[in-house]
Amino acid sequence: DAGITQSPRYKITETGRQVTLMCHQTWSHSYMFWYRQDLGHGLRLIYYSAAADITDKGEVPDGYVVSRSKTENFPLTLESATRSQTSVYFCASGSGGRQETQYFGPGTRLLVL
Amino acid sequence: AQKITQTQPGMFVQEKEAVTLDCTYDTSDQSYGLFWYKQPSSGEMIFLIYQGSYDEQNATEGRYSLNFQKARKSANLVISASQLGDSAMYFCAMREGYSSASKIIFGSGTRLSIRP
């Protein structure tokens, strides 16, 4: 399907486990982003990527790892999940065009027990 | 540092009335973009409207308009003739620069509830 997809949509895991959230976009956008959404905080940027093999930290990167070996994929890994990482995670992409918005995936709801 | 402030955690409005959602921002950059997104209960983020810092006219998209007051650093969203389907969370957001490559920061949101 065209657009931006995330998998899984829902995930329950335990403290200390490694979890990988997947993000895939079909627009060949150069730029991709990971946000987390928590009550009272809106969306906060975790990591972003300007192109394949180029990533940089956002506002709240601790406890997360990203990679981007292909333009269309931008997985987010929680190396050792903690309860504070219970959140809704949104992936977004953008072409870098002037005045263009970022396009958001449907989100992944993650519960860490 | 960039900052977005939405001072209304929740609002109730009668159907068919107009509603204004407040947003103020802080930036030292001259080039920036302002966005509004809608998040219904289903959870997806829906782009509504965009205003560039150099745009002289207020942005409009259907029933949505952005009341941009640059000197006051405010970017309020106005929804005319509200509908029941407008009930949702609304987020104001800003990025420095004009490119979608730039990072976007979000306000904490306003929950809008439309009464029939």
Side-chain angles (χ1 to χ4, degrees), chain A residues 9 31 33 35 37 40-45 48 57-59 90 94-102 104-106 109, chain B residues 35 37 39 41-45 47 50 52 54-55 89 91 95 98-109 111:
Chain A
R9 295 293 313 279
Y31 299 89
F33 307 81
Y35 296 89
Q37 183 179 26
H41 287 281
L43 277 74
R44 292 181 292 174
L45 183 65
Y48 65 104
K57 296 178 180 179
E59 182 184 356
F90 286 96
S95 67
R98 186 175 181 272
Q99 299 188 13
E100 189 179 304
T101 185
Q102 292 176 9
F104 285 82
R109 290 183 179 273
Chain B
F35 301 82
Y37 292 88
Q39 187 177 42
S41 57
S42 53
E44 71 268 33
M45 294 291 287
F47 165 70
Y50 168 86
Y54 293 118
D55 295 339
M89 280 289 288
F91 291 97
R95 69 166 179 238
Y98 269 172
S99 167
S100 64
S102 304
K103 293 176 283 185
I104 293 180
I105 63 164
F106 288 80
S108 56
R111 182 171 296 280

Side-chain angles (χ1 to χ4, degrees), chain A residues 49-71:
Chain A
S49 169
D53 298 322
I54 300 174
T55 62
D56 206 350
K57 296 178 180 179
E59 182 184 356
V60 287
D62 294 342
Y64 302 95
V65 175
V66 293
S67 62
R68 190 145 178 232
S69 57
K70 293 184 179 180
T71 300

Side-chain angles (χ1 to χ4, degrees), chain A residues 10-21 36 38 63-64 77-89 108-113:
Chain A
Y10 303 91
K11 177 73 176 179
I12 300 174
T13 191
E14 295 178 337
T15 300
R17 297 212 177 220
Q18 183 178 76
V19 177
T20 296
L21 309 183
R36 60 178 288 175
D38 306 291
Y64 302 95
T77 297
L78 289 66
E79 292 191 303
S80 179
T82 64
R83 289 182 180 173
S84 65
Q85 292 177 310
T86 292
S87 188
V88 181
Y89 292 84
T108 294
R109 290 183 179 273
L110 176 66
L111 174 61
V112 183
L113 300 175

Side-chain angles (χ1 to χ4, degrees), chain B residues 24-51:
Chain B
T24 58
Y25 61 92
D26 189 22
T27 180
S28 57
D29 203 4
Q30 295 301 309
S31 299
Y32 53 89
L34 297 157
F35 301 82
W36 278 91
Y37 292 88
K38 173 183 178 181
Q39 187 177 42
S41 57
S42 53
E44 71 268 33
M45 294 291 287
I46 302 169
F47 165 70
L48 294 178
I49 196 166
Y50 168 86
Q51 179 85 40

